[in-house]
Amino acid sequence: MRGPVVAPGDPGYDEARSIYNAMIDRRPAAFAKCADVADVRATIAFAQDVGVELAVRGGGHSGPGLCLVDDGLTLDLSPMNWVRVDPGAGIAQVGGGAELGALDHAAHTFGLGIPSGIMSTTGVGGLTLGGGHGHLTRKYGLTIDSLISADVVLADGTFATASETEHPDLFWALRGGGGNFGVVTSFTFRLSKVRDVGVGLTVWPMDRIQEVLRWYREFLPAAPEDLNGFFALLSVPPGPPFPEPIHGQKMCAVVWCYTGDLEEGRLEEVLAVANDPAPPAFHFTAPMPYPALQGMFDEQIPKGLQWYWRGAFFDAISDAAIDVHERYGNALPTESATMHLYPVDGAAHRVGADETAWAYRDAVWSAVIAGIDPDPANADLIRQWCVDYSTDLHPHSMGGSYVNFLGAKEGPERVRSTYRGNYDRLASVKRDYDPENFFRANQNIPPAAG
């Protein structure tokens, strides 16, 4: 290998097994830090020969820590953190270990980007293979809707390029099917126009959540696709831009992203609607470069916190669901615990449910409930709040979840529900490309029989 192999006792071992979620404490037998495709093939061949379980790490943001297996081998793609942009063709080729911040930075200088996440430290690979949504989803669709092709090393060591014309069944499965089918060493994306965006942050007292959510559920789906806004429950952080009198208070909020005209006064005019449901406790607007919005929450939620999360899809926000949000919003267990409702309508709805593995093309929101805290002593507290919240909210959901928001040990039926009618086809593709289920350290889809 060109890249290093790190094992217990080696310098850097503890750093290698440290991922975004500090609740995960696993000890792999080794980390193979792959510098290129040759290293990836060598690592897969070694794991096959020795019979050790393999996990794959991209950005290390997996909530349940799927990139680490006790006594297993982690194929670490983080050295492959590179991006090449062709502005004339409007495409970007992205290494399998790249983070969103690298892609956003490289594309932004040309006034280009893709719909992808809300944090710059998220890995492009895991986000894309799960489907991917973010601030630009209503305008440009899911991350997978911008994917042109992917280079993949399969379980038998074969190198394949998957696209609409080459291995089209594999390409279909990679767009939302997670890491079940191989190790993606590079992605090629079609870029969209985005440079500066209008950013807004509106915060209301928690006792106005009923009015705010009733307004939000009607307003946003009918709004122009240039306007995105995800709803959140939060405890107000103690720092700018928030005024000191509201620091630490439990509140509800919408984080806005506007890709339309930013002539003087236009952003304020568009977001004046934030006064409609109730007077905000705080309202902030500013134009900023798209990468700045993508990195806006990095310092608030850094690597090394305790995390426990669960997700769900919604096609509506019922009155009963609002009651659940109000109850658990008032019971946020720590300063960092939160719930987000990400819009996944607009352009994302113009792709059919069977055109990619992402089956919930009729969902309007993708929710994540996240118990977060720096103190390991609070792990049980945030886990229980998250599980209880998810359990009470589930009857008002569509049944499935964004696969990247599935929590630990939710079980195979939960994975199946996430793919609806696409599950059997995914299992068939799995049989064709990984019949022994070699890639199983993931939200696993076992190969179909036969």
Side-chain angles (χ1 to χ4, degrees), residues 2 4 6 10 16 29-30 82 85 98 120 147 157 172-173 186 252 267 279 301 317 323 343 348 356 386 429 431-432:
R2 292 182 65 197
V6 180
D10 290 344
W82 53 265
V85 174
S120 72
L147 186 65
W172 176 87
S186 71
C252 58
L267 178 60
I301 316 177
I317 303 172
D323 291 342
T356 67
C386 177
V429 177
R431 177 190 60 209
D432 293 341

Side-chain angles (χ1 to χ4, degrees), residues 1-6 11-13 15-18 30-36 39-40 43 57 73-80:
M1 284 186 57
R2 292 182 65 197
V5 176
V6 180
Y13 175 76
E15 175 60 27
R17 70 184 191 89
S18 171
F31 292 85
K33 293 182 171 289
C34 297
D36 53 24
D39 280 0
V40 172
T43 301
R57 173 176 175 163
L73 174 61
T74 290
L75 190 160
D76 189 345
L77 294 168
S78 59
M80 300 173 69

Side-chain angles (χ1 to χ4, degrees), residues 400-419:
S401 166
Y402 176 34
V403 68
N404 286 346
F405 289 160
L406 289 180
K409 300 178 181 178
E410 290 200 54
E413 288 306 312
R414 184 76 165 133
V415 176
R416 178 180 285 273
S417 72
T418 288
Y419 293 110

Side-chain angles (χ1 to χ4, degrees), residues 34 36-46 75 153 156-159:
C34 297
D36 53 24
V37 172
D39 280 0
V40 172
R41 296 188 72 209
T43 301
I44 289 174
F46 176 84
L75 190 160
V153 181
D156 63 0
T158 301
F159 178 80

Side-chain angles (χ1 to χ4, degrees), residues 103-126:
L103 173 56
D104 293 336
H105 171 78
H108 178 71
T109 190
F110 302 109
L112 300 169
I114 66 169
S116 56
I118 65 162
M119 297 188 67
S120 72
T121 57
T122 303
V124 172

